[in-house]
Amino acid sequence: PVTLYESYEWRAGDLLDTERQSFDVQREALLRYREQGWGDARNLFEEAVRLAPRDNVPSLYLSRIAHYEVNPPCAAWDGVWTMDTK
């Protein structure tokens, strides 16, 4: 796996206060996601969508959560999403 980072520094002056708040919510949501706490993670990512609707990252994680709720990963899952299509 490769870790990807998205820089918001280039548009720091353009960020809304709610978008800045969304980053904190997403940080907490990602922790819950990696712990397989799907319900808590989903609620937090939904809050992030409400705070920052133009940010696509929370919606991506919401679709992954929906997948994992139906197809749970193994107990030793390391949080990596394995893509199987291009």
Side-chain angles (χ1 to χ4, degrees):
V2 176
T3 302
L4 299 176
Y5 297 93
E6 183 175 0
S7 172
Y8 286 91
E9 185 62 33
W10 64 273
R11 60 175 258 217
D14 186 35
L15 288 175
L16 303 172
D17 287 340
T18 55
E19 289 173 319
R20 293 177 197 280
Q21 293 170 7
S22 174
F23 296 152
D24 292 331
V25 172
Q26 288 182 59
R27 189 175 300 114
E28 184 67 25
L30 191 54
L31 290 173
R32 301 294 165 250
Y33 173 85
R34 290 180 176 153
E35 295 170 349
Q36 299 185 35
W38 309 128
D40 290 339
R42 181 177 51 266
N43 291 338
L44 289 163
F45 280 122
E46 286 171 349
E47 175 68 7
V49 168
R50 189 187 67 74
L51 289 167
R54 62 183 183 169
D55 186 351
N56 296 321
V57 173
S59 295
L60 172 73
Y61 277 98
L62 286 169
S63 68
R64 291 177 180 182
I65 289 167
H67 170 81
Y68 283 136
E69 287 178 321
V70 175
N71 307 290
C74 68
W77 178 66
D78 61 2
V80 172
W81 175 263
T82 302
M83 298 184 72
D84 56 7
T85 60
K86 285 187 176 184

